[in-house]
Amino acid sequence: MINRIASAALLAPLTLALLYFGTVRHLWVFFLFLVVGLLREWHRFRPPVRRDDLFLSVSLGWLLVTSQYVGQPLWIPTLLTGGMACFIGMATLRFTPQNQMLDRTGFLFFGLLYCAMPLVLILQIRALPQGPAWLGMLLLIIWGTDIGAFFTGKLFGKRKLAPHLSPGKTWAGFYGGTGVGVLVGWWAADFFSVANNSLHVILLGLLLSLAGQLGDLVESMVKREAGVKDSGSLIPGHGGLLDRLDSLLFATPVLSLYLFGVRLLGD
């Protein structure tokens, strides 16, 4: 518990400072390293880890993030299509009836989408006029949801939310986390001056909180299927990068859809 609190107290302000005060270039450089860590943990869910699979995944992840950074997002569909072709081609060359290559190819490609594409979306959001403020709001909602779920679950949790996936999660924690997430989102929207429509603020806070909790459950499902407790051991008290960023990876696309959807409708 002490390690968990100490790690959060150190990493949370650093992460918020990077997303809010850091430039797009700072984020791009950081994401190049983050892609390596995330995909390395993802590949460990399906041993044996083949170096060529990991190299291809990381290379494609770097290209996706860099495409957004240099202002060429139209390259991204081509890279994704080419990446799928490369994965399938490698699977074809290694095919044996026992290898389940179609299943493994899907695993590798989903890992690329799961780990790298949310980072591309963060760069897109960061480039918006109020991008840093939106990202700050996103982080606060996720953290508020996590803290609210933890304490309400500890105090009032009895009925399990998903016992086969995560035995520690309860319905009380789910409701408490969602409520705190919405309240934090309401406060953050006013603090960062990013939204004036109360209905939009409540709805967005609700969706981001729910998406973050779903991301946590999805990663729990993957770990349960892989037979591991944590995705890694990089962060004391929290496990690996995926353990710490699972909510962000799911909530970021929701925020992106909201922001670019509002811009599209506004135009």
Side-chain angles (χ1 to χ4, degrees):
M1 176 63 71
I2 295 177
N3 286 340
R4 183 181 180 90
I5 294 174
S7 297
L10 175 64
L11 293 176
L14 291 176
T15 304
L16 185 59
L18 177 64
L19 290 183
Y20 189 76
F21 296 108
T23 65
V24 176
R25 175 174 292 184
H26 292 148
L27 282 178
W28 169 65
V29 173
F30 175 66
F31 285 170
L32 292 181
F33 290 99
L34 192 58
V35 162
V36 178
L38 290 171
L39 286 172
R40 183 174 179 273
E41 289 183 1
W42 178 262
H43 280 249
R44 289 177 59 193
F45 287 143
R46 209 67 172 284
V49 179
R50 296 184 61 103
R51 291 184 179 179
D52 50 353
D53 285 345
L54 181 58
F55 175 78
L56 178 58
S57 294
V58 169
S59 298
L60 287 169
W62 281 347
L63 289 172
L64 290 170
V65 171
T66 302
S67 296
Q68 179 60 42
Y69 169 68
V70 299
Q72 297 295 335
L74 292 178
W75 293 354
I76 292 175
T78 301
L79 289 171
L80 290 174
T81 305
M84 174 62 83
C86 288
F87 283 132
I88 293 175
M90 292 167 65
T92 302
L93 294 175
R94 300 174 190 157
F95 176 77
T96 67
Q98 294 77 31
N99 278 351
Q100 296 182 320
M101 282 301 174
L102 184 61
D103 179 56
R104 187 169 184 85
T105 298
F107 170 80
L108 296 175
F109 192 70
F110 179 76
L112 181 66
L113 296 177
Y114 178 52
C115 297
M117 283 305 296
L119 305 183
V120 173
L121 297 178
I122 289 176
L123 288 177
Q124 288 183 353
I125 295 170
R126 179 60 181 77
L128 295 175
Q130 287 187 299
W134 284 112
L135 291 175
M137 178 182 173
L138 171 63
L139 286 179
L140 291 177
I141 290 174
I142 289 173
W143 294 338
T145 299
D146 191 31
I147 294 170
F150 178 79
F151 283 105
T152 55
K154 286 289 185 182
L155 292 173
F156 308 108
K158 293 181 180 180
R159 194 156 60 99
K160 301 298 182 182
L161 175 63
H164 298 297
L165 297 180
S166 185
K169 289 182 173 56
T170 64
W171 281 102
F174 170 77
Y175 293 130
T178 302
V180 172
V182 172
L183 290 175
V184 169
W186 181 286
W187 173 83
D190 180 67
F191 178 80
F192 290 115
S193 300
V194 292
N196 297 319
N197 188 308
S198 298
L199 181 60
H200 279 206
V201 170
I202 294 173
L203 180 60
L204 182 59
L206 176 63
L207 290 176
L208 292 177
S209 179
L210 293 176
Q213 293 182 82
L214 177 60
D216 195 357
L217 285 175
V218 167
E219 204 238 351
S220 294
M221 177 185 66
V222 175
K223 290 190 294 185
R224 183 57 61 95
E225 185 172 312
V228 299
K229 183 178 183 297
D230 296 315
S231 66
S233 56
L234 182 64
I235 307 173
H238 292 273
L241 291 170
L242 284 171
D243 295 318
R244 185 63 274 172
L245 299 178
D246 50 7
S247 296
L248 181 65
L249 295 176
F250 258 63
T252 297
V254 174
L255 178 60
S256 179
L257 283 172
Y258 170 80
L259 292 177
F260 291 100
V262 166
R263 291 182 70 198
L264 180 63
L265 292 175
D267 294 338

